[in-house]
Amino acid sequence: KDAMPPKPRRRSRWLWRIGIGGFALVVVAGALIAWLLLTAGGRDTLLGRVVRLLPAGSLTWQRAEGVVYGPLTFYGLHYHHAGVDLRAARVKLDPSLRQLFGRRLRLIELDMDDATLDLPIDRTPQPLPSWPGSLPKFAMPFSISADVVRVRGMRVSREGTPIIDVHSIDGGLKLAPGLVALEHVAIDSDRGRFDIDGHIDAGDNYRALLNATAQLPPPHAGIAGANLHVVAGGDLDHFVLSVRGDAPAPFATALRLDGGRTTPRWSLKINAPKLDPAMLVLP
């Protein structure tokens, strides 16, 4: 004889048990996620996992405050790997975790105080420049952006030789595979004041748009420093770079590229009857 179908009461009992079990799993998973994101214990567990994924001893800090959900603050942060040495008295991160699973990291705020960055010198033999092969590729394994970047004090050097002493950085940035974008970035340093807004996309025929100004320190006392205004736009098929300013008298230059990747045609116009090149050399 054919098997009798289960009675409706028995079937509803199994569905009820499955529903209760599923709900319990959701509650446990939610509690675990909340513990990881919203508690100090969860923070230390996730940070320990991150440290184990990095080269041994490359990332350390003296003290951490806050939770992974944000904001999260590190004191005495030190990162050292492949010749890059970054130290900061304080680093505050306020992440937006909703995009993390899509290989995107968005920081609502990146705040850093009293930092030093020492970079290595690349001594490997470099091939002769080629067009457009020598252009940077901006290879990034994932996207990272920061709505608000605030840096107060960063000394940059290369194998101990000072490069620039940055007093402050304010603005926003986005780094993605093939893309670099700076949003209203203001830099005040011992080498001048720089304001930059623009982007370049290597994946879209190097399409770029840039608007930047620079106020450079004077080469010696008694004169005003040079000021520059840079505007650039276009791609590899058609690109124009314009630089205007005073050094010490007004000057203007325009660089134009046409012809694309295979038959580039360059043209340069300069109107600088009283230009002092020494004023454009950073100290």
Side-chain angles (χ1 to χ4, degrees):
K1 296 182 179 180
D2 296 334
M4 296 292 294
K7 296 181 179 180
R9 182 177 299 177
R10 184 178 300 176
R11 180 183 301 170
S12 62
R13 186 183 302 126
W14 278 106
L15 291 175
W16 174 257
R17 292 176 180 176
I18 292 173
I20 291 295
F23 178 76
L25 288 175
V26 170
V27 170
V28 172
L32 177 60
I33 294 174
W35 178 77
L36 290 171
L37 299 181
L38 302 175
T39 68
R43 174 201 69 202
D44 294 339
T45 299
L46 286 178
L47 291 179
R49 176 61 177 169
V50 170
V51 169
R52 287 192 293 272
L53 293 175
L54 297 173
S58 62
L59 179 62
T60 60
W61 56 86
Q62 296 176 357
R63 187 173 88 255
E65 293 181 353
V67 295
V68 174
Y69 189 77
L72 178 60
T73 304
F74 297 92
Y75 296 91
L77 183 75
H78 182 205
Y79 174 78
H80 179 79
H81 180 63
V84 176
D85 191 282
L86 173 64
R87 300 172 185 265
R90 185 184 72 95
V91 178
K92 177 183 175 183
L93 306 175
D94 193 358
S96 175
L97 300 178
R98 290 176 295 178
Q99 302 180 21
L100 184 59
F101 298 101
R103 299 180 67 84
R104 297 179 181 179
L105 174 59
R106 174 174 169 248
L107 298 176
I108 300 173
E109 181 182 8
L110 169 61
D111 195 349
M112 182 182 299
D113 291 334
D114 193 16
T116 61
L117 175 62
D118 191 63
L119 302 172
I121 297 176
D122 187 359
R123 295 182 173 84
T124 58
Q126 299 295 322
L128 294 175
S130 62
W131 180 262
S134 297
L135 293 175
K137 304 298 189 297
F138 307 120
M140 286 282 295
F142 59 91
S143 299
I144 178 172
S145 63
D147 297 346
V148 176
V149 176
R150 176 191 173 277
V151 178
R152 295 296 180 265
M154 173 180 281
R155 296 173 296 281
V156 182
S157 59
R158 180 168 291 171
E159 294 191 356
T161 301
I163 298 177
I164 186 172
D165 187 356
V166 177
H167 308 316
S168 65
I169 301 176
D170 294 278
L173 65 86
K174 180 179 181 180
L175 303 175
L179 175 69
V180 173
L182 301 178
E183 301 175 355
H184 305 292
V185 173
I187 303 173
D188 185 25
S189 73
D190 64 339
R191 292 179 175 263
R193 164 86 184 193
F194 308 90
D195 294 275
I196 309 170
D197 184 72
H199 68 272
I200 180 170
D201 189 350
D204 186 17
N205 200 32
Y206 283 91
R207 186 172 301 279
L209 182 63
L210 173 69
N211 194 325
T213 61
Q215 298 285 336
L216 304 182
H220 52 79
I223 65 172
N227 65 83
L228 308 176
H229 184 197
V230 181
V231 177
D235 56 22
L236 290 186
D237 295 323
H238 175 71
F239 184 81
V240 176
L241 171 65
S242 171
V243 182
R244 298 176 178 270
D246 298 282
F251 73 93
T253 66
L255 176 66
R256 182 185 179 106
L257 165 67
D258 293 291
R261 298 171 178 265
T262 56
T263 58
R265 299 185 303 274
W266 300 86
S267 63
L268 175 64
K269 294 181 179 180
I270 301 177
N271 182 14
K274 296 182 179 181
L275 174 67
D276 183 1
M279 297 187 67
L280 304 180
V281 178
L282 295 178

